[in-house]
Amino acid sequence: MPETLRLADGCPQVAALVKRVAAARRVAVVTGAGISVNCGIPDFRSSTGLFRQIQGAHGDVVCKGRDLFDASVVFRSAPVAAVFYEWMTHLRAQCASARPGVVHGFIRQLADRGALLRSYTQNIDGLERKAGLAVWDPYSAKESPGYVPWQDAQSVPLHGTMDHLTCQLCAASVPFEQAVAAAGDVCAACLERSQSREACGRRSLPLGKLRPTVVLYEEPHPHCEDIAKIIAHDTRALGSRRAAAAGTNVVLVFGTTLKVPGCRQLVRQLAMAAPARTITVLVNNEPVCGRAWDGIVDYQVIGCVDDWCARIQRQWNAQTKITRWTTTRKTAARAAKENAPVPASAKRKAPRDDGPAASAAANPKRRRARLDAAPAGADASEPPTARRSVRVASQRISKLSRQAHPIPICT
């Protein structure tokens, strides 16, 4: 069973874990609706969540609030679909007015530090883009200025976003703005094709309705293959040799109960990419992990996600201050060493040059002494080595001459 730590206790284990996470060089983040509650967007499953609100307001239309997000229920009857479009329009207005929170700023700071591998979010609010992250959007055209290829994306929305509306029949996509179109409106592309057929005397075509580009329960993901490709790429990155040389990997799971099967599989895959050097930490307001997560999730921190991120940011700030202080001290010591007067005993003498021109320019008296000591027949312009050889040869000749005539001859 994962080790459970309470953030409010302030135990040494929490402080040690914060330091390990702050020092990580490669971090993957998986987030849920809990990180956007403080931004004014309700979650789904809490006592004040979206499911309870829908059930209280439309209990005569749906049995459970979850049914309004179930594809097998919501489009079977017109009254349920009308309630769905109404709530999607209301939720879109909340997302448009919301601002990024502490966790979104923390993820952006991870990206700025170069430690963010990828951020996977189950949220549909689009606050990651407002925080400055590069968000992968499969509905954006490649020629549009905001298009981000998946290789360069820092955030991947697993369940879509509220930025676009798509037709249920022809898959045409338009921006989700009241000035352009609203949820539940008739698709303009379908209407145009049907009217052109009617003008030619042919039968009309069925008209599709626009719905937000979010993935509902019991509905196949329209871009599941692309997301699987991204997850496989990040799994290989966590298990690569470069990641092993960089140090410990960290998988952070924020604000989710891990009830969605796809999210559970994602966390398992990232955590088990390199289990020997990967730390998986789940932070939530209430306990989530049981024995089923043994060996996958290492630490379960009970507490506010914003407080956890704030602690890591304080640790980063402390490390930055220490680094700046150390750099300043080293720079000052280097400057003092360079500007300090050099003692006479430590001064290095200039390299000796025995060449005749250098010797004459450096010490004229030494030049005259060498010329006086040069044997007869030696060229004064020759180097000292040549003159020494001539001198030695002259001494040998004199010695042989004395041996051959030991007694002076008188004339």
Side-chain angles (χ1 to χ4, degrees):
M1 189 172 178
E3 183 177 355
T4 301
L5 303 175
R6 295 194 175 274
L7 195 60
D9 294 346
C11 57
Q13 292 84 350
V14 174
L17 183 60
V18 167
K19 290 183 179 180
R20 293 181 66 183
V21 173
R25 298 295 184 88
R26 183 165 295 190
V27 181
V29 184
V30 181
T31 59
I35 70 169
S36 298
V37 173
N38 292 337
C39 302
I41 300 176
D43 59 359
F44 289 91
R45 292 181 172 84
S46 67
S47 58
T48 59
L50 207 56
F51 290 165
R52 294 289 182 90
Q53 295 180 22
I54 294 173
Q55 188 174 4
H58 303 280
D60 55 338
V61 179
V62 292
C63 298
K64 298 181 295 184
R66 183 185 181 277
D67 293 343
L68 201 61
F69 297 90
D70 193 330
S72 61
V73 177
V74 68
F75 298 119
R76 284 189 175 182
S77 63
V80 178
V83 174
F84 170 75
Y85 295 136
E86 177 186 347
W87 275 90
M88 287 295 101
T89 303
H90 174 68
L91 191 59
R92 168 61 180 170
Q94 287 183 323
C95 296
S97 61
R99 291 291 176 264
V102 176
V103 181
H104 303 95
F106 167 78
I107 299 174
R108 169 63 188 274
Q109 195 170 356
L110 274 176
D112 293 341
R113 294 170 63 90
L116 180 65
L117 174 63
R118 198 93 62 184
S119 172
Y120 295 91
T121 179
Q122 303 177 77
N123 300 335
I124 59 176
D125 47 34
L127 293 180
E128 288 78 13
R129 180 179 284 106
K130 292 183 179 180
L133 295 173
V135 180
W136 176 69
D137 187 1
Y139 293 95
S140 296
K142 293 185 177 180
E143 60 273 7
S144 63
Y147 175 75
V148 178
W150 70 266
Q151 294 89 344
D152 301 331
Q154 298 169 330
S155 179
V156 176
L158 298 174
H159 299 159
T161 63
M162 302 284 287
D163 296 334
H164 302 277
L165 293 170
T166 184
C167 178
Q168 301 175 10
L169 292 181
C170 68
S173 178
V174 296
F176 193 174
E177 299 176 1
Q178 292 294 334
V180 179
D185 288 353
V186 175
C187 176
C190 292
L191 182 60
E192 182 180 358
R193 284 193 298 269
S194 179
Q195 289 176 350
S196 62
R197 286 175 59 90
E198 291 178 354
C200 297
R202 306 175 65 182
R203 64 179 181 85
S204 61
L205 294 176
L207 304 178
K209 289 188 176 183
L210 299 177
R211 54 159 291 185
T213 54
V214 297
V215 182
L216 304 178
Y217 295 108
E218 307 300 331
E219 180 181 35
H221 201 299
H223 304 284
C224 59
E225 295 182 358
D226 297 331
I227 292 180
K229 184 193 305 183
I230 299 173
I231 296 174
H233 173 273
D234 293 347
T235 303
R236 290 193 300 268
L238 289 174
S240 64
R241 295 182 178 179
R242 182 179 298 179
T248 304
N249 302 324
V250 173
V251 178
L252 296 176
V253 186
F254 291 152
T256 176
T257 56
L258 298 177
K259 293 291 184 64
V260 180
C263 184
R264 290 202 301 265
Q265 180 61 29
L266 170 62
V267 173
R268 290 177 185 272
Q269 190 167 343
L270 294 176
M272 299 306 293
R277 57 175 184 270
T278 301
I279 302 173
T280 304
V281 182
L282 185 143
V283 185
N284 200 40
N285 285 329
E286 56 186 14
V288 174
C289 300
R291 296 188 179 276
W293 293 96
D294 191 12
I296 300 174
V297 176
D298 300 300
Y299 298 95
Q300 180 178 209
V301 180
I302 309 301
C304 180
V305 183
D306 291 354
D307 294 343
W308 167 264
C309 294
R311 291 197 181 197
I312 297 180
Q313 289 173 333
R314 286 196 296 268
Q315 182 65 27
W316 283 340
N317 294 337
Q319 292 176 355
T320 303
K321 290 180 180 178
I322 293 174
T323 304
R324 289 178 179 175
W325 180 82
T326 306
T327 304
T328 304
R329 289 291 300 272
K330 289 182 178 179
T331 304
R334 191 182 302 112
K337 185 176 181 181
E338 292 175 355
N339 298 329
V342 181
S345 60
K347 292 183 179 179
R348 297 182 60 185
K349 295 182 180 180
R352 180 177 179 180
D353 189 355
D354 293 336
S359 299
N363 194 347
K365 294 182 178 180
R366 184 179 180 184
R367 172 67 173 170
R368 288 194 298 271
R370 285 192 176 188
L371 291 176
D372 296 341
D379 189 1
S381 62
E382 293 179 350
T385 304
R387 294 201 301 271
R388 192 180 302 110
S389 300
V390 173
R391 186 169 61 251
V392 172
S394 300
Q395 292 175 357
R396 287 181 179 179
I397 292 172
S398 301
K399 184 177 181 180
L400 291 175
S401 299
R402 288 195 299 271
Q403 291 177 358
H405 303 283
I407 302 174
I409 300 176
C410 298
T411 57

